[in-house]
Amino acid sequence: MLDYASLAALAAVVREGSFDKAAAALGVTPSAVSQRVKGLEERVGATLLTRGVPCQATQIGAKLCAHVEQVRLLESEVVRDLPGLAGPAPGPPTIRVAVNADSVSTWFPRAAALFAAETGAMLDLVLEDEAHTADRLRSGEVLAAVTADPAPVPGCKTYPLGVLDYAAVASPGFIARFFPGGLDAESLAAAPILRFDRRDQLQARWAKEAWGASIRPPTHWTPSTPGMLDMTLAGLGWAMTPVVLAAPHLAAGRLVELSPRLRIGVTLYWQRTRLAARLLDHLTQAVRSTGADALARVEG
């Protein structure tokens, strides 16, 4: 039999990032958490955690954590039907989901609000680039993900959501400074850009599609969707911005499109584990309905 007290300790350390925070979440001492994790590692015969700041699960540890999250979700379903089985005030159930930052800053909050209003459950969002959220699902770290990867993760269902459209934008002052003679491949290569992180390839993709140019310009790294918009408005660089966020600034003249006729889209999908859980069903319904309203249709 699996030792669920030890598994819960392992999952708490991974979720909270440290033994002290895991102990506070579980209501036990850090020493007790450490002993449970160590005992589990000895029983499994493998290292389950990489001790650091934060602590991270190894490949085997991630599989065990995924099992714990699934069991916790299924237990919440049973307790809902048989409340007499519940222990002392377990609190609302929580689903861990990987989502890209641009979705969190645009359409996903409406899906989350709809889900929470219907179920009373909580969400634990893991922010990740849309090209890599499926990796979080594949490792078992999350139970569902908004992803740009259409390839089904083993054991998961995939649903197309729609297309999030992006425009290449900059402030009028930035345009005047860096593109005084108009836009071309040479000026693009010299003009500073804003990128979310090292995985963000939207600017490079746009330059390639618009001008056939492979650019490596000076870069401001800005790992925040609202922060990137603010820095674009301040004139630090040009950026690919979700059209829904750029639209009011374009209308007011605070931003200008580098090439109004060329926008690019990122097709998004919802992937969720096949685990038969009503909360996942509710979340899937909320995400799909909100995505259908907020995102452009996927062209067949």
Side-chain angles (χ1 to χ4, degrees):
M1 288 290 293
L2 295 175
D3 180 355
Y4 280 97
S6 297
L7 287 170
L10 172 67
V13 173
V14 173
R15 185 172 57 251
E16 302 295 334
S18 74
F19 284 82
D20 288 344
K21 291 180 180 179
L26 295 173
V28 299
T29 66
S31 176
V33 173
S34 179
Q35 290 175 8
R36 291 176 188 179
V37 172
K38 183 178 179 181
L40 186 61
E41 288 180 323
E42 291 175 350
R43 185 173 181 181
V44 173
T47 300
L48 304 177
L49 281 176
T50 300
R51 274 74 169 173
V53 184
C55 294
Q56 294 181 324
T58 63
Q59 185 175 4
I60 296 175
K63 289 184 178 181
L64 292 176
C65 290
H67 173 74
V68 173
E69 295 300 329
Q70 293 183 13
V71 168
R72 184 179 289 114
L73 184 59
L74 291 174
E75 282 183 346
S76 72
E77 303 272 322
V78 175
V79 168
R80 177 180 175 180
D81 294 334
L82 301 170
L85 294 178
T94 300
I95 297 181
R96 205 161 199 229
V97 180
V99 190
N100 60 311
D102 287 344
S103 288
V104 172
S105 295
T106 53
W107 64 273
F108 191 83
R110 294 193 294 278
L114 179 60
F115 166 72
E118 290 179 345
T119 66
M122 302 290 106
L123 291 175
D124 183 357
L125 300 186
V126 177
L127 291 184
E128 180 62 274
D129 183 88
E130 63 272 6
H132 300 276
T133 47
D135 293 339
R136 302 285 189 131
L137 185 58
R138 196 171 288 110
S139 71
E141 184 179 349
V142 299
L143 296 176
V146 175
T147 177
D149 187 353
V153 172
C156 295
K157 298 179 182 178
T158 302
Y159 306 90
L161 294 176
V163 179
L164 186 58
D165 289 321
Y166 290 81
V169 298
S171 69
F174 183 89
I175 296 287
R177 179 181 176 188
F178 288 96
F179 306 119
L183 195 68
D184 55 29
E186 183 177 354
S187 59
L188 271 177
I193 65 172
L194 296 165
R195 288 177 63 188
F196 189 88
D197 58 23
R198 267 69 179 175
R199 294 176 169 181
D200 178 11
Q201 297 297 321
L202 283 178
Q203 285 72 216
R205 175 184 161 189
W206 182 87
K208 191 70 174 179
E209 292 184 13
W211 300 94
S214 296
I215 60 171
R216 298 186 64 181
T219 301
H220 294 289
W221 303 100
T222 314
S224 161
T225 297
M228 185 177 290
L229 178 59
D230 288 342
M231 291 181 74
T232 306
L233 287 165
L236 272 76
W238 70 271
M240 299 304 300
T241 301
V243 171
V244 66
L245 296 181
H249 300 290
L250 291 169
R254 293 185 292 267
L255 291 177
V256 178
E257 282 195 66
L258 271 61
S259 180
R261 295 183 179 274
L262 179 63
R263 295 175 175 179
I264 62 175
V266 174
T267 303
L268 298 176
Y269 302 85
W270 175 249
Q271 293 209 42
R272 53 154 289 186
T273 177
R274 291 182 180 271
L275 188 70
R278 283 172 294 189
L279 281 178
L280 270 176
D281 293 339
H282 280 293
L283 180 57
T284 297
Q285 183 177 0
V287 168
R288 295 183 68 190
S289 63
T290 303
D293 292 339
L295 301 172
R297 291 182 180 273
V298 180
E299 295 183 2

